Amino acid sequence: MKRRKGLSLMMGLLLVASLLLAGCGPQEEGAGAEGGGSEEKPEKLVVWANNDPIQLKNTRKLAKEYEKESGIKVEVVPVDLLKQQEKLALDGPAGKGADLVTWPHDQLGEAVIKGLVRPLEVGEDVTGQFSESAVQALTYDGQVYGLPYVTESIALIYNKKLMSEPPETLDELIDFAKKYTKPAEKEYGLLYEGANFYYSYFLIDAMGGYIFKEDGGKVNTEDLGLNNEGAKKALETLQGWYKEKLLPVKATADTVNGLFKEGKAAAVINGPWAVKDYEQAGIDFAVAPLPAIDGKHPRTFIGVKGWYVSAYSKNPTWATDLMKFFTGKESLLLRFQETGEIPPRKDLLEDPVIKDDSVVNGFAQQASRGTPMPNVPEMGQVWEPIGNAITFVAQGKRSPEQALDDAVKMIREKIQAQKQ
Protein backbone atom coordinates (compact mmCIF):
# COMPACT_ATOMS: atom_id res chain seq x y z
CA MET A 1 0.00 0.00 0.00
CA LYS A 2 1.79 3.12 -1.20
CA ARG A 3 1.44 6.30 0.76
CA ARG A 4 -0.44 8.98 -1.04
CA LYS A 5 1.80 12.01 -0.85
CA GLY A 6 -0.38 14.56 -2.53
CA LEU A 7 -3.80 15.46 -3.78
CA SER A 8 -4.67 16.22 -7.35
CA LEU A 9 -6.08 19.59 -8.34
CA MET A 10 -9.36 17.89 -9.18
CA MET A 11 -9.60 16.42 -5.70
CA GLY A 12 -8.91 19.79 -4.14
CA LEU A 13 -11.61 21.44 -6.22
CA LEU A 14 -14.03 18.68 -5.33
CA LEU A 15 -13.37 19.18 -1.62
CA VAL A 16 -13.90 22.93 -1.77
CA ALA A 17 -16.99 22.59 -3.94
CA SER A 18 -18.56 20.08 -1.59
CA LEU A 19 -17.99 22.43 1.34
CA LEU A 20 -19.58 25.31 -0.48
CA LEU A 21 -22.63 23.22 -1.27
CA ALA A 22 -22.96 21.64 2.15
CA GLY A 23 -21.91 24.62 4.18
CA CYS A 24 -20.54 24.44 7.68
CA GLY A 25 -22.37 24.87 10.93
CA PRO A 26 -24.53 22.91 13.32
CA GLN A 27 -27.77 21.72 11.80
CA GLU A 28 -30.11 21.19 14.74
CA GLU A 29 -27.55 19.10 16.54
CA GLY A 30 -29.30 19.45 19.88
CA ALA A 31 -28.16 20.93 23.15
CA GLY A 32 -25.30 23.33 23.60
CA ALA A 33 -22.67 23.24 26.32
CA GLU A 34 -25.10 24.07 29.08
CA GLY A 35 -27.94 21.94 27.75
CA GLY A 36 -29.68 24.73 25.80
CA GLY A 37 -30.93 24.37 22.27
CA SER A 38 -28.55 26.95 20.80
CA GLU A 39 -24.91 27.85 21.09
CA GLU A 40 -23.12 31.06 20.20
CA LYS A 41 -20.62 30.73 17.40
CA PRO A 42 -17.12 30.67 18.91
CA GLU A 43 -14.12 32.55 17.60
CA LYS A 44 -11.86 29.51 17.95
CA LEU A 45 -11.91 25.75 18.39
CA VAL A 46 -8.91 23.79 19.65
CA VAL A 47 -8.07 20.33 18.32
CA TRP A 48 -5.51 17.95 19.74
CA ALA A 49 -4.19 15.86 16.85
CA ASN A 50 -1.74 12.98 16.84
CA ASN A 51 1.83 14.24 16.50
CA ASP A 52 2.72 11.93 13.60
CA PRO A 53 4.05 14.41 10.99
CA ILE A 54 2.01 13.10 8.04
CA GLN A 55 -1.22 12.79 10.02
CA LEU A 56 -0.68 16.20 11.63
CA LYS A 57 -0.18 17.87 8.26
CA ASN A 58 -3.43 16.39 6.98
CA THR A 59 -5.41 17.45 10.07
CA ARG A 60 -4.11 21.00 9.72
CA LYS A 61 -5.07 21.08 6.05
CA LEU A 62 -8.62 19.99 6.86
CA ALA A 63 -8.79 22.48 9.73
CA LYS A 64 -7.91 25.30 7.31
CA GLU A 65 -10.75 24.27 5.02
CA TYR A 66 -13.23 24.26 7.89
CA GLU A 67 -11.89 27.58 9.08
CA LYS A 68 -12.32 29.06 5.62
CA GLU A 69 -15.95 28.00 5.33
CA SER A 70 -17.15 28.46 8.91
CA GLY A 71 -15.23 31.58 9.88
CA ILE A 72 -14.05 29.83 13.05
CA LYS A 73 -10.32 29.68 13.69
CA VAL A 74 -9.19 26.08 14.31
CA GLU A 75 -6.00 25.66 16.31
CA VAL A 76 -4.45 22.22 15.80
CA VAL A 77 -2.08 21.24 18.60
CA PRO A 78 0.14 18.15 18.25
CA VAL A 79 -0.28 15.79 21.21
CA ASP A 80 0.73 12.14 21.28
CA LEU A 81 -2.30 9.94 20.65
CA LEU A 82 -1.67 7.83 23.74
CA LYS A 83 -1.05 10.79 26.06
CA GLN A 84 -4.09 12.92 25.26
CA GLN A 85 -6.34 11.40 27.90
CA GLU A 86 -3.81 12.03 30.66
CA LYS A 87 -3.23 15.58 29.43
CA LEU A 88 -6.97 16.33 29.22
CA ALA A 89 -7.47 15.18 32.81
CA LEU A 90 -5.00 17.88 33.88
CA ASP A 91 -5.65 20.66 31.37
CA GLY A 92 -9.42 20.32 31.07
CA PRO A 93 -10.33 21.47 34.60
CA ALA A 94 -7.84 24.33 34.25
CA GLY A 95 -9.58 25.58 31.12
CA LYS A 96 -6.61 24.77 28.88
CA GLY A 97 -7.96 21.64 27.20
CA ALA A 98 -9.09 21.06 23.64
CA ASP A 99 -12.58 20.99 22.14
CA LEU A 100 -11.79 17.89 20.10
CA VAL A 101 -9.50 15.07 21.19
CA THR A 102 -8.58 11.70 19.74
CA TRP A 103 -7.30 8.32 20.91
CA PRO A 104 -7.78 4.60 20.17
CA HIS A 105 -11.20 3.21 20.99
CA ASP A 106 -9.97 0.82 23.66
CA GLN A 107 -9.24 3.84 25.89
CA LEU A 108 -12.81 5.13 25.65
CA GLY A 109 -14.24 3.34 28.69
CA GLU A 110 -11.67 4.81 31.00
CA ALA A 111 -12.26 8.29 29.56
CA VAL A 112 -16.02 8.02 30.11
CA ILE A 113 -15.60 6.83 33.69
CA LYS A 114 -13.27 9.77 34.36
CA GLY A 115 -15.79 12.18 32.85
CA LEU A 116 -13.42 13.41 30.16
CA VAL A 117 -15.71 13.17 27.12
CA ARG A 118 -19.39 13.76 26.49
CA PRO A 119 -21.92 11.63 24.57
CA LEU A 120 -22.56 12.75 21.00
CA GLU A 121 -25.91 14.16 20.02
CA VAL A 122 -26.11 12.81 16.50
CA GLY A 123 -28.65 10.59 14.81
CA GLU A 124 -28.45 7.49 12.67
CA ASP A 125 -28.20 9.71 9.60
CA VAL A 126 -24.66 10.42 10.83
CA THR A 127 -23.62 7.15 12.50
CA GLY A 128 -25.15 5.15 9.65
CA GLN A 129 -22.46 6.50 7.31
CA PHE A 130 -19.87 4.32 9.04
CA SER A 131 -19.37 0.59 9.41
CA GLU A 132 -21.37 -0.86 12.27
CA SER A 133 -18.26 -2.25 13.95
CA ALA A 134 -16.52 1.15 13.92
CA VAL A 135 -19.50 2.85 15.56
CA GLN A 136 -19.74 0.02 18.07
CA ALA A 137 -16.11 0.64 19.00
CA LEU A 138 -16.93 4.23 19.96
CA THR A 139 -20.03 3.25 21.93
CA TYR A 140 -19.89 2.82 25.69
CA ASP A 141 -22.73 1.64 27.88
CA GLY A 142 -25.14 2.09 24.96
CA GLN A 143 -24.13 5.69 24.12
CA VAL A 144 -22.06 6.89 21.16
CA TYR A 145 -19.15 9.08 22.22
CA GLY A 146 -17.25 9.68 19.00
CA LEU A 147 -17.04 9.40 15.24
CA PRO A 148 -14.43 7.11 13.65
CA TYR A 149 -11.84 8.21 11.13
CA VAL A 150 -9.48 5.21 10.94
CA THR A 151 -9.97 1.49 11.28
CA GLU A 152 -7.41 -1.28 11.01
CA SER A 153 -7.37 -5.05 11.18
CA ILE A 154 -5.12 -7.98 10.46
CA ALA A 155 -5.76 -9.96 7.27
CA LEU A 156 -4.15 -12.66 5.13
CA ILE A 157 -1.10 -11.38 3.27
CA TYR A 158 0.20 -13.84 0.70
CA ASN A 159 3.18 -14.09 -1.63
CA LYS A 160 1.69 -14.39 -5.11
CA LYS A 161 4.65 -16.44 -6.35
CA LEU A 162 4.04 -19.09 -3.70
CA MET A 163 0.26 -18.90 -3.41
CA SER A 164 -1.56 -18.02 -6.61
CA GLU A 165 -4.96 -17.45 -5.01
CA PRO A 166 -6.02 -17.08 -1.38
CA PRO A 167 -7.83 -20.16 0.02
CA GLU A 168 -11.56 -19.75 0.49
CA THR A 169 -11.74 -21.77 3.71
CA LEU A 170 -9.52 -22.26 6.71
CA ASP A 171 -9.40 -25.99 6.00
CA GLU A 172 -7.98 -25.26 2.55
CA LEU A 173 -5.40 -22.92 4.06
CA ILE A 174 -4.28 -25.52 6.59
CA ASP A 175 -4.12 -28.20 3.86
CA PHE A 176 -1.89 -25.88 1.85
CA ALA A 177 0.28 -25.27 4.91
CA LYS A 178 0.70 -29.01 5.50
CA LYS A 179 1.97 -29.51 1.96
CA TYR A 180 4.26 -26.50 1.87
CA THR A 181 5.70 -26.33 5.39
CA LYS A 182 9.25 -27.60 5.97
CA PRO A 183 10.23 -26.55 9.50
CA ALA A 184 13.83 -27.75 9.16
CA GLU A 185 14.29 -25.36 6.25
CA LYS A 186 12.24 -22.62 7.93
CA GLU A 187 9.63 -22.68 5.17
CA TYR A 188 5.98 -22.22 6.14
CA GLY A 189 2.71 -22.27 4.25
CA LEU A 190 1.10 -20.11 6.94
CA LEU A 191 2.91 -18.05 9.52
CA TYR A 192 1.68 -15.76 12.28
CA GLU A 193 2.09 -15.09 15.99
CA GLY A 194 -0.23 -17.88 17.04
CA ALA A 195 0.57 -17.54 20.74
CA ASN A 196 -0.47 -13.87 20.66
CA PHE A 197 -4.12 -13.47 21.71
CA TYR A 198 -4.58 -10.47 19.41
CA TYR A 199 -3.77 -12.60 16.36
CA SER A 200 -5.52 -15.82 17.42
CA TYR A 201 -8.74 -14.23 18.66
CA PHE A 202 -10.41 -14.86 15.28
CA LEU A 203 -10.20 -18.60 15.92
CA ILE A 204 -11.65 -18.37 19.44
CA ASP A 205 -14.48 -16.14 18.25
CA ALA A 206 -15.29 -18.35 15.25
CA MET A 207 -15.67 -21.42 17.44
CA GLY A 208 -17.95 -19.78 20.00
CA GLY A 209 -15.63 -18.25 22.55
CA TYR A 210 -15.93 -14.63 23.64
CA ILE A 211 -14.31 -12.22 26.07
CA PHE A 212 -17.23 -10.48 27.76
CA LYS A 213 -20.87 -11.02 26.93
CA GLU A 214 -22.48 -8.09 25.13
CA ASP A 215 -26.15 -7.22 25.15
CA GLY A 216 -27.70 -4.15 23.60
CA GLY A 217 -24.41 -2.30 23.35
CA LYS A 218 -23.55 -2.96 26.99
CA VAL A 219 -20.74 -5.21 28.16
CA ASN A 220 -21.24 -7.64 31.03
CA THR A 221 -17.74 -8.05 32.45
CA GLU A 222 -18.94 -10.73 34.89
CA ASP A 223 -19.80 -13.05 32.00
CA LEU A 224 -16.55 -14.33 30.53
CA GLY A 225 -16.50 -16.81 27.66
CA LEU A 226 -12.79 -17.48 27.35
CA ASN A 227 -13.04 -20.95 28.87
CA ASN A 228 -16.31 -22.13 27.36
CA GLU A 229 -16.45 -25.12 25.04
CA GLY A 230 -15.89 -22.97 21.94
CA ALA A 231 -12.76 -21.35 23.33
CA LYS A 232 -11.36 -24.74 24.38
CA LYS A 233 -12.08 -26.16 20.93
CA ALA A 234 -10.20 -23.24 19.36
CA LEU A 235 -7.13 -23.84 21.50
CA GLU A 236 -7.28 -27.55 20.76
CA THR A 237 -7.18 -26.64 17.06
CA LEU A 238 -4.27 -24.27 17.62
CA GLN A 239 -2.52 -26.90 19.71
CA GLY A 240 -2.82 -29.30 16.78
CA TRP A 241 -1.08 -26.82 14.47
CA TYR A 242 1.83 -26.58 16.87
CA LYS A 243 2.07 -30.35 17.30
CA GLU A 244 2.23 -30.75 13.52
CA LYS A 245 4.88 -28.01 13.47
CA LEU A 246 2.83 -25.89 11.09
CA LEU A 247 3.69 -22.91 13.31
CA PRO A 248 6.95 -22.30 15.20
CA VAL A 249 6.33 -22.13 18.95
CA LYS A 250 8.43 -19.02 19.49
CA ALA A 251 7.26 -17.04 16.47
CA THR A 252 7.54 -13.29 17.01
CA ALA A 253 6.79 -10.32 14.78
CA ASP A 254 10.44 -10.38 13.66
CA THR A 255 10.12 -14.07 12.77
CA VAL A 256 6.98 -13.52 10.73
CA ASN A 257 8.26 -10.45 8.90
CA GLY A 258 11.73 -11.83 8.34
CA LEU A 259 10.64 -15.14 6.76
CA PHE A 260 7.97 -13.46 4.61
CA LYS A 261 10.51 -10.95 3.27
CA GLU A 262 12.91 -13.82 2.54
CA GLY A 263 10.22 -15.60 0.53
CA LYS A 264 10.07 -18.50 2.98
CA ALA A 265 6.50 -17.93 4.14
CA ALA A 266 3.74 -18.29 1.58
CA ALA A 267 1.18 -16.44 3.67
CA VAL A 268 1.14 -14.50 6.94
CA ILE A 269 -1.56 -13.05 9.12
CA ASN A 270 -0.52 -9.47 9.78
CA GLY A 271 -1.69 -5.87 9.67
CA PRO A 272 -1.24 -2.83 7.42
CA TRP A 273 1.71 -1.71 9.54
CA ALA A 274 3.77 -4.47 7.86
CA VAL A 275 2.99 -3.49 4.27
CA LYS A 276 5.68 -0.85 3.73
CA ASP A 277 8.35 -3.27 4.95
CA TYR A 278 7.16 -5.97 2.53
CA GLU A 279 7.07 -3.53 -0.37
CA GLN A 280 10.63 -2.43 0.32
CA ALA A 281 11.70 -6.09 0.33
CA GLY A 282 10.39 -6.42 -3.22
CA ILE A 283 7.82 -9.11 -2.40
CA ASP A 284 4.96 -9.42 -4.90
CA PHE A 285 2.07 -9.84 -2.49
CA ALA A 286 -1.66 -9.36 -2.15
CA VAL A 287 -4.06 -9.06 0.77
CA ALA A 288 -7.30 -10.94 1.34
CA PRO A 289 -9.77 -11.32 4.19
CA LEU A 290 -9.20 -14.38 6.36
CA PRO A 291 -10.77 -17.53 4.86
CA ALA A 292 -14.14 -18.78 6.04
CA ILE A 293 -14.51 -21.01 9.07
CA ASP A 294 -17.53 -23.34 9.06
CA GLY A 295 -19.09 -21.27 6.29
CA LYS A 296 -18.77 -17.92 8.08
CA HIS A 297 -16.38 -15.01 7.76
CA PRO A 298 -14.11 -14.96 10.82
CA ARG A 299 -14.07 -11.81 12.92
CA THR A 300 -10.72 -10.31 13.79
CA PHE A 301 -10.05 -7.62 16.35
CA ILE A 302 -10.27 -4.16 14.84
CA GLY A 303 -8.70 -1.01 16.17
CA VAL A 304 -10.54 2.27 15.67
CA LYS A 305 -9.35 5.83 16.11
CA GLY A 306 -12.07 8.34 16.85
CA TRP A 307 -12.66 12.02 17.49
CA TYR A 308 -14.34 12.93 20.80
CA VAL A 309 -15.82 16.13 22.23
CA SER A 310 -14.12 17.10 25.46
CA ALA A 311 -16.42 17.30 28.48
CA TYR A 312 -14.70 20.62 29.23
CA SER A 313 -15.46 22.18 25.86
CA LYS A 314 -17.60 25.32 26.03
CA ASN A 315 -18.58 24.80 22.38
CA PRO A 316 -19.76 21.18 22.12
CA THR A 317 -22.22 21.81 19.30
CA TRP A 318 -19.62 23.46 17.08
CA ALA A 319 -17.01 20.91 18.15
CA THR A 320 -19.42 18.20 16.98
CA ASP A 321 -19.84 20.04 13.68
CA LEU A 322 -16.07 20.12 13.21
CA MET A 323 -15.95 16.41 14.05
CA LYS A 324 -18.54 15.68 11.35
CA PHE A 325 -16.47 17.70 8.89
CA PHE A 326 -13.30 15.77 9.78
CA THR A 327 -15.12 12.48 9.19
CA GLY A 328 -17.00 13.49 6.05
CA LYS A 329 -16.49 11.66 2.77
CA GLU A 330 -14.20 14.20 1.12
CA SER A 331 -12.17 14.74 4.29
CA LEU A 332 -11.55 11.04 4.90
CA LEU A 333 -10.78 10.41 1.23
CA LEU A 334 -8.15 13.13 1.44
CA ARG A 335 -6.80 11.66 4.67
CA PHE A 336 -6.53 8.23 3.08
CA GLN A 337 -4.70 9.64 0.07
CA GLU A 338 -2.23 11.53 2.22
CA THR A 339 -1.71 9.13 5.15
CA GLY A 340 -2.71 5.70 3.85
CA GLU A 341 -5.05 5.22 6.84
CA ILE A 342 -8.15 3.21 5.94
CA PRO A 343 -11.42 5.06 6.57
CA PRO A 344 -14.48 3.26 8.01
CA ARG A 345 -17.05 5.11 5.89
CA LYS A 346 -19.33 2.82 3.88
CA ASP A 347 -19.32 5.04 0.81
CA LEU A 348 -15.53 5.23 0.71
CA LEU A 349 -15.12 1.48 1.04
CA GLU A 350 -17.01 1.30 -2.27
CA ASP A 351 -15.01 4.11 -3.86
CA PRO A 352 -12.71 2.94 -6.69
CA VAL A 353 -9.73 4.60 -4.99
CA ILE A 354 -10.02 2.00 -2.22
CA LYS A 355 -11.99 -0.80 -3.84
CA ASP A 356 -9.62 -1.10 -6.80
CA ASP A 357 -6.53 -1.18 -4.57
CA SER A 358 -6.19 -4.90 -3.81
CA VAL A 359 -3.97 -4.38 -0.79
CA VAL A 360 -6.09 -1.71 0.84
CA ASN A 361 -9.34 -3.42 -0.06
CA GLY A 362 -8.21 -6.68 1.51
CA PHE A 363 -7.64 -4.99 4.87
CA ALA A 364 -10.79 -2.89 4.50
CA GLN A 365 -12.95 -5.96 3.84
CA GLN A 366 -11.58 -7.77 6.87
CA ALA A 367 -12.00 -4.68 9.06
CA SER A 368 -15.64 -4.40 8.00
CA ARG A 369 -16.13 -7.96 9.24
CA GLY A 370 -14.20 -7.40 12.45
CA THR A 371 -15.20 -6.77 16.01
CA PRO A 372 -13.73 -4.01 18.16
CA MET A 373 -11.60 -4.88 21.12
CA PRO A 374 -13.73 -4.26 24.24
CA ASN A 375 -13.34 -0.64 25.34
CA VAL A 376 -14.09 -1.29 29.01
CA PRO A 377 -11.31 -0.79 31.59
CA GLU A 378 -11.62 -4.44 32.63
CA MET A 379 -10.15 -5.46 29.28
CA GLY A 380 -6.76 -4.46 30.61
CA GLN A 381 -6.91 -7.42 32.99
CA VAL A 382 -7.45 -9.92 30.17
CA TRP A 383 -4.37 -9.68 28.00
CA GLU A 384 -1.68 -11.16 30.24
CA PRO A 385 -3.57 -14.19 31.63
CA ILE A 386 -5.03 -15.24 28.26
CA GLY A 387 -1.73 -14.60 26.51
CA ASN A 388 0.04 -16.86 29.01
CA ALA A 389 -2.64 -19.52 28.54
CA ILE A 390 -2.14 -19.65 24.77
CA THR A 391 1.64 -19.72 25.21
CA PHE A 392 1.42 -22.65 27.65
CA VAL A 393 -0.73 -24.57 25.16
CA ALA A 394 1.66 -23.80 22.29
CA GLN A 395 4.59 -25.03 24.37
CA GLY A 396 2.71 -28.17 25.38
CA LYS A 397 2.96 -27.30 29.07
CA ARG A 398 -0.80 -27.33 29.75
CA SER A 399 -3.95 -28.65 28.16
CA PRO A 400 -6.31 -26.10 26.59
CA GLU A 401 -8.90 -26.77 29.30
CA GLN A 402 -6.50 -26.31 32.20
CA ALA A 403 -4.81 -23.27 30.66
CA LEU A 404 -8.09 -21.47 29.94
CA ASP A 405 -9.69 -22.31 33.28
CA ASP A 406 -6.64 -20.96 35.10
CA ALA A 407 -6.61 -17.84 32.91
CA VAL A 408 -10.27 -17.02 33.51
CA LYS A 409 -9.83 -17.53 37.24
CA MET A 410 -6.94 -15.08 37.24
CA ILE A 411 -8.86 -12.56 35.09
CA ARG A 412 -11.76 -12.59 37.56
CA GLU A 413 -9.38 -12.04 40.45
CA LYS A 414 -7.64 -9.17 38.69
CA ILE A 415 -10.94 -7.49 37.79
CA GLN A 416 -12.14 -7.82 41.38
CA ALA A 417 -8.93 -6.24 42.64
CA GLN A 418 -9.30 -3.45 40.08
CA LYS A 419 -12.71 -2.54 41.46
CA GLN A 420 -11.54 -2.30 45.07
Side-chain angles (χ1 to χ4, degrees):
M1 179 171 55
K2 298 180 179 178
R3 292 219 177 224
R4 280 72 177 173
K5 295 294 186 180
L7 182 66
S8 67
L9 177 60
M10 183 178 295
M11 183 60 216
L13 292 173
L14 175 61
L15 175 60
V16 174
S18 66
L19 294 175
L20 290 171
L21 289 171
C24 290
Q27 301 296 320
E28 297 181 1
E29 280 305 321
E34 302 301 326
S38 61
E39 179 180 295
E40 185 176 349
K41 186 175 181 179
E43 293 183 1
K44 182 176 77 170
L45 291 170
V46 177
V47 176
W48 286 353
N50 190 27
N51 55 6
D52 175 89
I54 296 175
Q55 297 172 19
L56 182 63
K57 182 178 180 181
N58 172 263
T59 302
R60 283 178 167 159
K61 179 181 291 188
L62 293 174
K64 285 294 183 183
E65 291 295 340
Y66 182 84
E67 185 176 302
K68 186 186 306 180
E69 298 304 323
S70 69
I72 300 173
K73 178 177 175 58
V74 180
E75 180 182 356
V76 178
V77 181
V79 180
D80 188 290
L81 195 72
L82 301 180
K83 295 181 179 180
Q84 291 197 18
Q85 190 173 139
E86 179 183 356
K87 181 175 175 61
L88 183 61
L90 297 173
D91 291 1
K96 299 184 295 181
D99 295 287
L100 274 190
V101 292
T102 179
W103 48 67
H105 83 273
D106 57 350
Q107 295 185 5
L108 176 59
E110 184 179 356
V112 173
I113 291 173
K114 291 179 178 179
L116 299 179
V117 291
R118 63 171 67 216
L120 285 188
E121 297 185 14
V122 296
E124 291 186 7
D125 60 319
V126 174
T127 58
Q129 298 171 11
F130 305 92
S131 68
E132 183 178 347
S133 58
V135 175
Q136 180 188 354
L138 303 186
T139 300
Y140 185 82
D141 202 21
Q143 290 187 301
V144 177
Y145 280 85
L147 293 182
Y149 63 94
V150 176
T151 185
E152 62 183 17
S153 170
I154 56 175
L156 186 72
I157 306 176
Y158 61 98
N159 185 325
K160 292 195 288 186
K161 292 183 179 179
L162 304 177
M163 179 182 284
S164 57
E165 294 290 337
E168 294 185 2
T169 69
L170 182 63
D171 288 340
E172 291 176 1
L173 178 58
I174 298 305
D175 286 342
F176 175 89
K178 290 178 179 179
K179 296 175 183 177
Y180 185 88
T181 300
K182 299 176 183 177
E185 299 176 28
K186 294 186 178 181
E187 294 181 355
Y188 294 90
L190 171 66
L191 187 61
Y192 79 103
E193 295 178 68
N196 186 323
F197 178 54
Y198 175 80
Y199 287 92
S200 282
Y201 173 76
F202 78 92
L203 194 61
I204 294 174
D205 178 80
M207 295 187 177
Y210 57 89
I211 303 174
F212 302 120
K213 199 71 173 180
E214 294 187 31
D215 184 19
K218 297 185 178 182
V219 178
N220 181 0
T221 57
E222 295 183 1
D223 186 344
L224 282 91
L226 286 174
N227 65 335
N228 66 11
E229 291 306 310
K232 292 174 182 177
K233 180 182 177 183
L235 254 63
E236 288 171 0
T237 300
L238 188 60
Q239 182 184 50
W241 296 348
Y242 281 107
K243 285 183 176 180
E244 294 183 70
K245 297 184 178 181
L246 298 180
L247 294 175
V249 173
K250 296 182 179 180
T252 64
D254 288 341
T255 307
V256 173
N257 292 330
L259 291 179
F260 190 75
K261 289 189 294 182
E262 291 175 21
K264 290 189 174 184
V268 296
I269 297 176
N270 214 336
W273 48 83
V275 165
K276 184 176 180 180
D277 210 17
Y278 297 166
E279 287 179 336
Q280 292 178 341
I283 300 296
D284 183 16
F285 67 91
V287 179
L290 296 189
I293 302 176
D294 295 331
K296 296 181 180 179
H297 297 304
R299 302 193 307 170
T300 48
F301 273 142
I302 63 167
V304 178
K305 296 175 186 176
W307 291 109
Y308 313 97
V309 176
S310 166
Y312 303 100
S313 173
K314 296 180 181 179
N315 310 290
T317 302
W318 283 95
T320 301
D321 187 66
L322 176 58
M323 179 192 297
K324 291 196 297 181
F325 175 85
F326 277 169
T327 56
K329 181 179 180 180
E330 290 77 18
S331 294
L332 288 189
L333 178 57
L334 174 60
R335 188 177 184 94
F336 165 71
Q337 292 177 311
E338 294 188 344
T339 70
E341 294 179 304
I342 300 174
R345 283 188 64 98
K346 296 176 182 177
D347 47 12
L348 285 182
L349 294 179
E350 295 299 319
D351 190 288
V353 174
I354 291 177
K355 195 170 184 178
D356 293 347
D357 185 321
S358 61
V359 171
V360 175
N361 191 46
F363 286 118
Q365 283 190 57
Q366 184 58 56
S368 69
R369 301 169 181 174
T371 183
M373 289 176 282
N375 57 19
V376 294
E378 289 86 349
M379 184 61 192
Q381 310 306 323
V382 172
W383 293 102
E384 183 178 0
I386 195 65
N388 289 338
I390 299 175
T391 298
F392 291 148
V393 170
Q395 294 173 342
K397 293 181 177 180
R398 293 185 190 174
S399 68
E401 182 173 5
Q402 179 187 6
L404 289 175
D405 285 345
D406 289 348
V408 168
K409 180 181 178 182
M410 183 174 292
I411 292 169
R412 292 189 187 280
E413 292 174 351
K414 289 166 69 73
I415 290 176
Q416 186 62 35
Q418 182 184 36
K419 293 180 178 179
Q420 292 177 350

